[in-house]
Amino acid sequence: KQPRAVKVCVSALRRFLNQELEQLRGALQVAFKKLLPGGRCLIVCQSDIERRTVFQFLHEHEEPRPGSGLGLSQERLGELYPLAGTRLKYSVQRLGYTGRLSTWELNQNPSASRAASLLVLEKRARTLPFVSKRRARQP
C-alpha cells in the first residue's frame, strides 16, 4: 500500500496532466447552456478539490436569495455576485444538501472514496439585474 503523501502527489500530477478540473469547469458550462430553466444537473465528485471546483462555478452563477440583496449598491452587488457582471440569461442554484456515501456503502465498496459526494444544481431564469463593470480611476 502506498503512503498517503505519494497518493496525493500522484493524484495532483494526474489532475494537472489530464486537465481534469478545467474539463469539469467546461462540462458544467456546456451542461448549463444546454439545460432548460428548471433542468437539473447531478454531479458526482470523487474528491474535495472537485467539490470546490463545482462550488466555485456555483458562486460565479448564483443569485442572492430573495430579499438578501436589498439596499446593496450596484458595485457591491457585483462584488458579491459575479453573475451580476455578466450577460448570462440564467442562474444556478444548489438544491438540498450534499449527499455522501454511508458507512454501509463504504463497507460494501472498499475502493470507494470517503470524499465522494453528490451535488444537485438547477438552472433558473435570471432575475438579477445586469451591473456594468466600472473602470477603476487612474491616480
Side-chain angles (χ1 to χ4, degrees):
K1 199 171 181 179
Q2 292 179 340
R4 175 155 170 70
V6 172
K7 285 183 180 181
V8 170
C9 184
V10 169
S11 180
L13 186 60
R14 185 199 73 235
R15 277 194 193 99
F16 174 76
L17 291 174
N18 294 335
Q19 298 181 338
E20 292 176 6
L21 299 179
E22 291 78 10
Q23 288 185 29
L24 175 57
R25 284 185 202 101
L28 288 169
Q29 290 173 349
V30 169
F32 279 92
K33 283 182 183 175
K34 300 281 184 185
L35 281 173
L36 296 174
R40 295 179 180 177
C41 182
L42 283 67
I43 303 116
V44 176
C45 298
Q46 295 294 331
S47 66
D48 289 335
I49 194 165
E50 290 174 0
R51 190 171 28 261
R52 284 194 302 269
T53 300
V54 174
F55 280 125
Q56 180 63 38
F57 175 84
L58 177 62
H59 172 69
E60 293 167 358
H61 293 82
E62 71 182 339
E63 292 190 305
R65 299 217 180 267
S68 65
L70 298 175
L72 293 176
S73 68
Q74 283 199 347
E75 185 176 333
R76 185 67 177 143
L77 191 64
E79 290 171 358
L80 293 174
Y81 298 95
L83 177 67
T86 72
R87 297 265 183 212
L88 288 176
K89 295 181 179 178
Y90 66 88
S91 66
V92 176
Q93 182 176 355
R94 184 175 77 151
L95 300 180
Y97 294 101
T98 303
R100 296 274 188 148
L101 294 177
S102 68
T103 304
W104 181 85
E105 291 168 320
L106 288 168
N107 289 335
Q108 295 300 311
N109 185 0
S111 64
S113 168
R114 286 196 179 281
S117 61
L118 174 69
L119 299 168
V120 182
L121 305 181
E122 182 177 70
K123 182 175 181 175
R124 301 229 169 143
R126 177 180 172 153
T127 59
L128 188 65
F130 172 74
V131 176
S132 62
K133 294 182 179 180
R134 297 180 183 171
R135 292 184 182 171
R137 290 185 191 178
Q138 296 295 327

